[in-house]
């Protein structure tokens, strides 16, 4: 949402990005007790050094394979240990999704029958520097492999399936075409030429693919065409809306609102609130004034600002110049945004602004006065972070 331009908030405010925020945690400092004497001090020093060694080990584990590797204190790690022997049997593909690391990947391998124990695999992977650089995608392994052989194959150049491609939430259809083309060696121009009537789009799409290409990781077979790839993504979208129980008569609006949420919410926990702001403004016949819709018209990424001239666009997607929702989705939203659009968080907010772009901290307001105060906080952040807004 145009956090800083919503309603009649100060025109000098700058719009905000739809990128997710990152939470940062600062280091803690520890100070030994300087009052100890003799053996007592030596005992404290021994404990202190031991704590540093353990702490260093924990830092190494987290930085290498993620916090999910660390066992729950007082509990038992999943899997119980054990291992297969040998290089495995029949081929099997596994998907490493964005955000997967450490024990999560180990659990995926165990569930697919690749390794016997996620715990054994994860402990071994933590000592492999290549594992920490593993990219999302589809990988071909074999069932019943030793953890060592599975790890060696997973980090080898040939393990990633050529047709495996991850499509993140919030991309435009044109951006999806570029990713698909790069991953499958299909000419990018071919995607735009695919007749939309051949894709099995729901009636709500009105013949347009934007919004209905479901973001996920796909394993396209070798030689798959642009049409077959897009059709698979549309099919996946239709399966998801059935699972979410979105009625046909609501699908067009839910998908469009979800795309706005996907573009405007800085953190997943704010999705429902952003959806509520959209609904509240529609109910009060207030213009949405979303900078993300302006940037969609411009097909512009990389800047969180929109100019006065850009906001004067005559496009039907410009929610500054036209009332109500845009005529269709402005990107391809994921499940979280679809859920938020379907069931917004209860509240009477009419405005929001992300006041800290580094953390994604977003403030919601019910009045223009309150919102303008939040906008000034955002502007102050921008002054202290040149080039970030």
């Amino acid at each position: 949402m145009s956090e800083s331009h919503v309603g009649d908030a100060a025109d000098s405010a700058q719009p905000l990005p739809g990128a997710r925020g990152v939470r940062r945690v600062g280091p803690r400092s520890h100070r030994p007790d300087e009052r100890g004497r003799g053996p007592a001090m030596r005992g404290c020093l021994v404990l202190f050094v031991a704590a540093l060694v353990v702490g260093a080990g924990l830092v190494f584990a987290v930085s290498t394979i993620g916090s999910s590797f660390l066992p729950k204190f007082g509990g038992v790690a999943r899997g119980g240990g054990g291992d297969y022997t040998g290089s495995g049997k029949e081929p099997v593909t596994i998907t490493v999704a964005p955000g997967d690391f450490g024990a999560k990947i180990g659990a995926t391998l165990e569930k697919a029958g690749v390794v016997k124990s996620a715990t054994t695999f994860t402990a071994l992977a933590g000592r492999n520097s290549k594992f920490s650089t593993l990219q999302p995608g589809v990988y071909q392994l074999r069932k019943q492999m030793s953890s060592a052989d599975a790890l060696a194959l997973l980090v080898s150049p040939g393990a990633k399936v050529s047709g495996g491609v991850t499509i993140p939430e919030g991309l435009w259809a044109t951006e999806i075409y570029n990713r698909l083309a790069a991953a499958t060696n299909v000419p990018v121009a071919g995607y735009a030429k695919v007749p939309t009537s051949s894709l099995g789009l729901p009636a709500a799409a009105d013949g347009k693919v934007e919004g209905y290409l479901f973001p996920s990781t796909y394993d396209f077979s070798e030689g798959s065409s642009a049409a077959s790839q897009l059709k698979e993504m549309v099919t996946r979208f239709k399966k998801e809306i059935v699972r979410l129980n979105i009625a046909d008569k609501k699908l067009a609006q839910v998908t469009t609102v979800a795309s706005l949420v996907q573009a405007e919410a800085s953190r997943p926990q704010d999705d429902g609130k952003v959806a509520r702001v959209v609904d509240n403004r529609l109910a009060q016949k207030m213009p949405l004034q979303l900078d993300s819709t302006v940037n969609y018209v411009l097909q512009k990424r990389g800047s969180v600002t929109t100019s006065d001239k850009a906001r004067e666009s005559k496009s039907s997607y410009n929610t500054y110049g036209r009332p109500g929702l845009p005529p269709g989705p402005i990107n391809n939203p994921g499940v979280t945004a679809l859920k938020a659009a379907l069931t917004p968080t209860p509240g009477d907010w009419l405005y929001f602004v992300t006041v800290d772009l580094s953390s994604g901290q977003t403030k919601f307001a019910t009045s223009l006065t309150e919102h303008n105060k939040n906008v000034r906080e955002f502007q102050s952040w921008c002054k202290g972070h040149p080039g970030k807004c």
Side-chain angles (χ1 to χ4, degrees):
M1 176 128 193
S2 172
E3 294 94 336
S4 57
H5 287 98
V6 169
D8 295 318
D11 287 340
S12 60
Q14 299 300 319
L16 304 174
R20 299 293 187 194
V22 178
R23 179 175 300 162
R24 299 184 179 180
V25 181
R28 298 188 180 205
S29 61
H30 299 275
R31 189 182 303 276
D33 188 348
E34 298 176 352
R35 294 176 296 176
R37 293 291 185 272
M41 173 173 279
R42 287 195 295 273
C44 289
L45 286 174
V46 170
L47 290 174
F48 181 65
V49 171
L52 286 178
V53 171
V54 173
L58 292 174
V59 170
F60 172 78
V62 173
S63 64
T64 303
I65 60 176
S67 60
S68 64
F69 168 75
L70 301 178
K72 305 298 182 184
F73 291 101
V76 178
R78 182 183 183 277
D83 205 357
Y84 293 124
T85 59
S87 58
K89 299 181 179 180
E90 66 269 23
V92 63
T93 58
I94 64 103
T95 298
V96 176
D100 284 0
F101 51 82
K104 176 66 174 176
I105 297 175
T108 299
L109 294 174
E110 181 182 324
K111 184 177 181 180
V114 176
V115 300
K116 188 174 184 179
S117 165
T119 303
T120 300
F121 174 84
T122 307
L124 183 65
R127 300 191 291 271
N128 188 303
S129 60
K130 291 183 179 179
F131 183 70
S132 63
T133 64
L134 198 67
Q135 298 297 307
V138 179
Y139 293 80
Q140 183 166 305
L141 302 171
R142 293 182 291 275
K143 289 192 174 182
Q144 297 186 11
M145 302 182 73
S146 71
S147 291
D149 283 342
L151 177 62
L153 181 55
L154 188 63
V155 299
S156 68
K160 195 169 183 181
V161 179
S162 61
V165 55
T166 296
I167 304 299
E169 297 89 344
L171 293 186
W172 303 322
T174 52
E175 294 171 319
I176 291 176
Y177 298 163
N178 287 328
R179 287 187 178 239
L180 293 176
T184 63
N185 295 319
V186 173
V188 68
Y191 293 92
K193 295 178 181 178
V194 174
T196 57
S197 59
S198 69
L199 300 180
L201 287 163
D206 195 27
K208 300 181 180 68
V209 297
E210 194 77 271
Y212 301 91
L213 300 175
F214 190 77
S216 184
T217 297
Y218 293 90
D219 178 17
F220 297 118
S221 60
E222 185 176 354
S224 61
S225 65
S228 65
Q229 293 170 27
L230 297 182
K231 187 173 183 178
E232 184 171 337
M233 297 183 73
V234 170
T235 300
R236 176 66 185 278
F237 174 86
K238 292 193 293 187
K239 288 180 179 179
E240 290 296 329
I241 61 175
V242 169
R243 187 174 67 85
L244 294 174
N245 197 28
I246 303 176
D248 290 345
K249 63 182 180 180
K250 297 181 64 176
L251 183 56
Q253 177 163 336
V254 168
T255 307
T256 299
V257 172
S259 74
L260 303 178
V261 170
Q262 192 74 66
E264 296 288 348
S266 295
R267 302 175 300 181
Q269 61 263 42
D270 294 327
D271 284 7
K273 290 184 176 181
V274 171
R276 177 56 65 189
V277 170
V278 172
D279 278 7
N280 287 346
R281 292 179 73 89
L282 289 174
Q284 295 194 24
K285 301 189 183 304
M286 298 173 67
L288 295 181
Q289 297 183 316
L290 307 173
D291 289 309
S292 56
T293 65
V294 176
N295 285 327
Y296 180 70
V297 173
L298 299 174
Q299 292 287 282
K300 178 183 177 183
R301 296 282 195 193
S303 173
V304 302
T305 62
T306 55
S307 66
D308 291 339
K309 182 178 180 180
R311 293 192 297 275
E312 292 173 357
S313 167
K314 301 302 182 182
S315 169
S316 58
Y317 282 86
N318 178 11
T319 54
Y320 278 94
R322 292 176 179 267
L325 289 171
I330 63 168
N331 58 47
N332 293 270
V335 168
T336 302
L338 286 166
K339 287 181 178 178
L342 181 63
T343 313
T345 303
D348 53 0
W349 310 287
L350 292 171
Y351 312 89
F352 67 87
V353 55
T354 301
V355 297
D356 185 330
L357 301 188
S358 62
S359 68
Q361 180 187 4
T362 301
K363 293 189 175 182
F364 294 79
T366 59
S367 71
L368 183 58
T369 299
E370 182 185 5
H371 176 63
N372 283 339
K373 178 182 177 182
N374 295 336
V375 168
R376 287 191 291 272
E377 184 176 345
F378 164 65
Q379 292 171 331
S380 176
W381 187 93
C382 290
K383 289 179 181 178
H385 299 79
K388 299 295 184 180
C389 298

